[in-house]
Amino acid sequence: YMADYIENEFRNQYKNLSIAYSVETEPLGTGGAIRNALTHVQSDQLLVMNGDSYCDVSLKHFIKAHHSPASLVLVHRSDTARYGRVTFDHDADVTQFIEKDGQAISGWINAGIYLMSRDLIESLPADTPISIEKDVFPDWVAQGILKGTFTQGKFIDIGLPESYAEASRFFAS
């Protein structure tokens, strides 16, 4: 949405960072967008981060702890209604990925930070709308290839107007 505004603002460089753009002609969902961006990636492992959330986590620790085709950062919340829940076994293998079911209970949630193998992303259908959370993760759970990494760090999702307004207070503290 409005990709040309972002491209015009940042061009191909931000400070010392080179920028490549993956533009969707039609909305592809979170999984389709990741698959679409693969042409710009050269590594065998992809670090994927949601753009509408922040989680205080050591990426160095997350990458070091990654020993699975796919891993995600988990953060504990006292109320998971807005986020859904992730359950796991004693080895941190994800056993259920429950996307936004409205239950206001305590639990671990998906923080929107993932490490995935290129092979897994290539296995997703190209040019097809697909949700990483609703379509892909449950399948990877069934295959036993999705692992969790835990953080106690601060977390905020600014995907709603109320939480976006709260962000300035969050980052000031």
Side-chain angles (χ1 to χ4, degrees), residues 72-76 86 88 94 108-111 148-152:
L72 66 153
V73 173
L74 303 173
V75 63
H76 196 269
V86 179
F88 46 88
V94 175
W108 291 89
I109 68 164
N110 168 18
T149 298
F150 309 94
T151 184
Q152 298 293 333

Side-chain angles (χ1 to χ4, degrees), residues 2-172:
M2 298 174 62
D4 52 328
Y5 288 100
I6 301 296
E7 289 185 53
N8 288 334
E9 179 68 26
F10 295 104
R11 304 279 178 212
N12 295 323
Q13 190 84 20
Y14 176 75
K15 297 185 180 180
N16 294 334
L17 182 66
S18 296
I19 300 174
Y21 297 93
S22 175
V23 179
E24 302 169 22
T25 55
E26 296 290 326
L28 293 174
T30 50
I34 295 167
R35 177 65 171 91
N36 191 53
L38 199 56
T39 59
H40 300 289
V41 177
Q42 297 174 5
S43 66
D44 290 332
Q45 295 291 324
L46 284 76
L47 175 64
V48 178
M49 302 171 81
N50 287 358
D52 63 352
S53 61
Y54 168 83
C55 183
D56 185 14
V57 63
S58 166
L59 293 178
K60 184 177 181 179
H61 170 76
F62 179 44
I63 292 167
K64 191 174 184 178
H66 174 73
H67 299 293
S68 179
S71 300
L72 66 153
V73 173
L74 303 173
V75 63
H76 196 269
R77 306 305 290 172
S78 59
D79 180 352
T80 63
R82 179 176 162 205
Y83 307 102
R85 285 176 316 291
V86 179
T87 62
F88 46 88
D89 64 17
H90 64 281
D91 292 323
D93 292 325
V94 175
T95 56
Q96 269 189 307
F97 193 87
I98 306 160
E99 180 65 13
K100 299 178 183 105
D101 65 358
Q103 290 191 36
I105 59 175
S106 177
W108 291 89
I109 68 164
N110 168 18
I113 302 172
Y114 319 119
L115 272 169
M116 304 173 195
S117 73
R118 180 183 197 88
D119 292 342
L120 277 180
I121 302 305
E122 286 176 339
S123 73
L124 300 178
D127 302 317
T128 303
I130 189 168
S131 167
I132 198 84
E133 301 87 358
K134 294 177 184 170
D135 302 320
V136 178
F137 284 167
D139 184 47
W140 290 354
V141 167
Q143 293 178 47
I145 59 173
L146 187 59
K147 267 207 172 300
T149 298
F150 309 94
T151 184
Q152 298 293 333
K154 291 171 53 174
F155 172 82
I156 188 170
D157 179 328
I158 61 168
L160 297 176
E162 308 82 55
S163 57
Y164 179 77
E166 179 188 321
S168 61
R169 291 187 303 277
F170 175 87
F171 287 108

